[in-house]
Amino acid sequence: EMVGDHNTFVGPGAAYSATDCDRNTVVGRDAAYALTTGDDNVIIGEEAGKAITTGSSNVFVGANAGDGFDSETNNVGIGNDALGGAINGGEYNVAIGNYSLDALTTADSNTAVGYEAGSGVTTGGFNVFVGQIAGKATTEGTGNVAVGRNSLVTNTTGSRNVALGQNAVEYPDTENDNLGIGYNALAGTIAGGEYNVSVGNLTLDALTSGDYNVAVGYNAGSALNTGSTNTMIGVEAGLQLTSGGNNTLIGVEAGRASSPSTVTTGSDNIVLGNNSVSDAFIKVDWTVTSDKRDKTDIEPLTMGLDFVNKLNPVTYRWDMRSDYENKTPDGTHKKQRLFSGLLAQDVETLER
């Protein structure tokens, strides 16, 4: 005989085993079939919450939603098979969408919204997955945030990753501490790369094993795969860099062929801006390290006034080869400003 207050049971087999439970709403064939003493549950759908016995304060809506629970509390599953796995202690989880979090066992405090979002999670906790198949393969990883379709989709045990945008951080598996914001940000087949920051569509989307890279701006660092500790800020900054390290490339197209220096596999370079930059301003002098204690192979410099007198100062305007497809300037892209200085080839001839 059923004992309890303020319960609503509708459907054949609904709360069939109820004995001493209160304030439950159960609707659907065999919904909450095994419920005995659990309180304050809302269970709607065929076989939803079917195995729950003493669990309380759960919400399950959808066919087979939460059908593997027994004594767990404070879970929400909305959608067919949402939170429908063999739960064994998992609590404080929210699953909204068909098959979301449907493999969860002992994990706590996960939030998954979207079709098959977080559907592989078993023991990993404190994850947030929003979007179709977001975080789908994550099993034991913890503290991940993935928002967007296909975001962090192949991650398994990696933790503390942040992926915001469609396909963001799409193909890691065990890596930790990567951040990708934007369409296809950090979306390459990552094989060991960690501690990377990628902000902007198509940023760092070829990266495999590189660590500690920062790329901000559309297509910034898009070709980088194995390089580490690079900083690339600006639209297409570092776009031709593949394996170099410790480069700082700041400004639109910095480090590309259209900038003062092309950086592909080199390391330890600083490139600011592109070849269209005509002025550079700074309030104070650069501080350049120079100390006898750090120098070796010191020899006297033999060039003197004779060398200086042979220098040939000139005036000129820039007409950059990089502005032409055939690399042959014809005046079409000539800059208007007049400069004064020396020609590198002339100085090189004197040095010989």
Side-chain angles (χ1 to χ4, degrees):
E1 180 181 353
M2 183 189 74
V3 179
D5 298 317
H6 309 292
N7 294 295
T8 301
F9 301 145
V10 179
Y16 180 83
S17 305
T19 56
D20 187 10
C21 55
D22 300 316
R23 299 175 301 278
N24 294 286
T25 299
V26 180
V27 180
R29 184 178 71 83
D30 290 341
Y33 183 90
L35 181 67
T36 55
T37 60
D39 301 325
D40 300 299
N41 295 290
V42 176
I43 301 173
I44 301 173
E46 182 175 341
E47 296 191 354
K50 182 177 181 178
I52 195 169
T53 55
T54 60
S56 298
S57 301
N58 296 291
V59 176
F60 300 128
V61 179
N64 303 312
D67 63 348
F69 281 78
D70 50 15
S71 61
E72 291 77 17
T73 64
N74 295 294
N75 289 289
V76 175
I78 300 176
N80 291 347
D81 278 306
L83 269 171
I87 307 298
N88 183 24
E91 295 183 318
Y92 310 105
N93 297 287
V94 176
I96 301 175
N98 292 350
Y99 310 106
S100 53
L101 292 181
D102 63 331
L104 189 140
T105 56
T106 62
D108 297 326
S109 305
N110 292 286
T111 299
V113 180
Y115 176 79
E116 290 192 342
S119 65
V121 172
T122 54
T123 61
F126 308 100
N127 296 291
V128 176
F129 301 131
V130 179
Q132 182 179 345
I133 66 173
K136 177 179 178 178
T138 299
T139 54
E140 301 173 15
T142 63
N144 297 291
V145 176
V147 179
R149 184 179 183 275
N150 284 357
S151 56
L152 207 65
V153 69
T154 64
N155 179 63
T156 55
T157 61
S159 297
R160 301 176 304 278
N161 296 289
V162 177
L164 303 179
Q166 183 174 337
N167 305 331
V169 200
E170 185 175 8
Y171 293 120
D173 48 16
T174 62
E175 291 76 19
N176 304 312
D177 300 296
N178 286 301
L179 183 150
I181 300 176
Y183 173 78
N184 270 28
L186 260 174
T189 306
I190 298 176
E194 296 183 317
Y195 313 106
N196 296 287
V197 174
S198 173
V199 180
N201 292 352
L202 305 174
T203 49
L204 292 182
D205 59 332
L207 189 132
T208 55
S209 60
D211 300 323
Y212 301 105
N213 295 288
V214 175
V216 179
Y218 173 77
N219 236 13
S222 184
L224 185 67
N225 45 64
T226 60
S228 296
T229 62
N230 295 288
T231 300
M232 298 152 287
I233 300 176
V235 173
E236 296 190 347
L239 182 59
Q240 293 173 242
L241 181 65
T242 58
S243 59
N246 196 40
N247 294 291
T248 301
L249 313 173
I250 299 177
V252 175
E253 298 179 344
R256 295 194 61 188
S258 53
S259 74
S261 179
T262 304
V263 185
T264 56
T265 61
S267 298
D268 308 312
N269 297 284
I270 296 176
V271 181
L272 303 179
N274 57 40
N275 287 337
S276 295
V277 174
S278 58
D279 295 283
F281 301 95
I282 186 169
K283 185 65 175 177
V284 296
D285 291 336
W286 293 98
T287 300
V288 181
T289 57
S290 179
D291 195 309
K292 180 179 179 180
R293 294 169 296 179
D294 299 322
K295 300 176 181 179
T296 188
D297 295 334
I298 301 172
E299 297 289 343
L301 184 63
T302 58
M303 292 182 294
L305 287 176
D306 183 59
F307 174 81
V308 173
N309 290 330
K310 292 179 180 178
L311 293 175
N312 182 33
V314 296
T315 61
Y316 62 92
R317 290 185 172 89
W318 286 109
D319 193 11
M320 303 296 298
R321 290 166 294 159
S322 57
D323 291 334
Y324 298 86
E325 290 187 7
N326 62 3
K327 306 302 180 185
T328 304
D330 60 14
T332 305
H333 301 291
K334 180 178 64 176
K335 304 298 187 292
Q336 294 303 309
R337 184 175 175 181
L338 187 67
F339 290 85
S340 60
L342 301 170
L343 301 180
Q345 287 84 348
D346 291 351
V347 176
E348 182 183 24
T349 299
L350 290 176
E351 289 177 339
R352 291 175 183 172

